[in-house]
Amino acid sequence: MSYPVQKSDSEWQAVLNKEQFRVIREKGTEAPFAGEYDKHYPSSGVYNCAACDAPLYRANHKFKSGCGWPAFFDALPGAVTRHTDSTFGMQRTEIVCSNCGGHLGHIFKGEGFPTPTDERHCVNSVSMKFTDKEPEAKV
């Protein structure tokens, strides 16, 4: 699949640190309970893609799941793309940034959390950066 932002590995390595490159470009996973945003619960603001700065999640869509990674019940419209991930002998739904294709994490459904979607977007902290500014409306 092609994404609007295209860069070579060396171009990504110039703008991402080693851990960000491993997770975002090589589909890695950060250690549970270690990420900067695991216990970060602002009442407003937006989490943007750490690679391309595209807005991904509103702060008020984040919830406490206890899973060890930031959890959101929904993304901003069109911000993430879903793919089937069949690695490790199981089927999961991978989520990537719709702007650059950077790996964010996975979606889990039907876990019974009291959210409007009954989905948990389990996102690596290193895949995001937080801003207290709301995203601009697309015209």
Side-chain angles (χ1 to χ4, degrees), residues 4-24:
V5 174
Q6 297 284 317
K7 293 183 182 187
S8 67
D9 280 352
S10 60
E11 289 172 312
W12 283 120
Q13 288 170 329
V15 296
L16 300 172
N17 66 40
K18 284 185 176 189
E19 179 69 352
Q20 286 174 321
F21 185 83
R22 184 185 72 79
V23 172
I24 297 169

Side-chain angles (χ1 to χ4, degrees), residues 10-129:
S10 60
E11 289 172 312
W12 283 120
Q13 288 170 329
V15 296
L16 300 172
N17 66 40
K18 284 185 176 189
E19 179 69 352
Q20 286 174 321
F21 185 83
R22 184 185 72 79
V23 172
I24 297 169
R25 304 312 308 169
E26 297 177 335
K27 301 181 186 291
T29 302
E30 67 187 351
F33 304 103
E36 176 181 5
Y37 300 124
D38 179 37
K39 293 181 172 85
H40 183 250
Y41 295 101
S43 58
S44 64
V46 175
Y47 294 87
N48 293 337
C49 178
C52 72
D53 206 34
L56 301 170
Y57 295 97
R58 290 190 185 281
N60 63 1
H61 287 178
K62 192 170 187 291
F63 68 98
K64 294 177 184 176
S65 70
C67 69
W69 293 273
F72 301 86
F73 63 81
D74 205 0
L76 289 165
V80 302
T81 300
R82 299 171 186 223
H83 299 288
T84 299
D85 175 0
S86 300
T87 59
F88 304 114
M90 63 179 112
Q91 277 212 334
R92 302 180 292 173
T93 301
E94 178 194 13
I95 45 176
V96 300
C97 172
S98 293
N99 195 48
C100 72
H103 176 73
L104 302 172
H106 292 86
I107 292 177
F108 301 93
K109 298 180 181 185
E111 296 178 315
F113 288 106
T115 63
T117 62
D118 199 20
E119 286 187 344
R120 175 172 55 94
H121 293 223
C122 184
V123 183
N124 292 287
S125 286
V126 298
S127 296
M128 303 180 294
K129 56 186 174 182

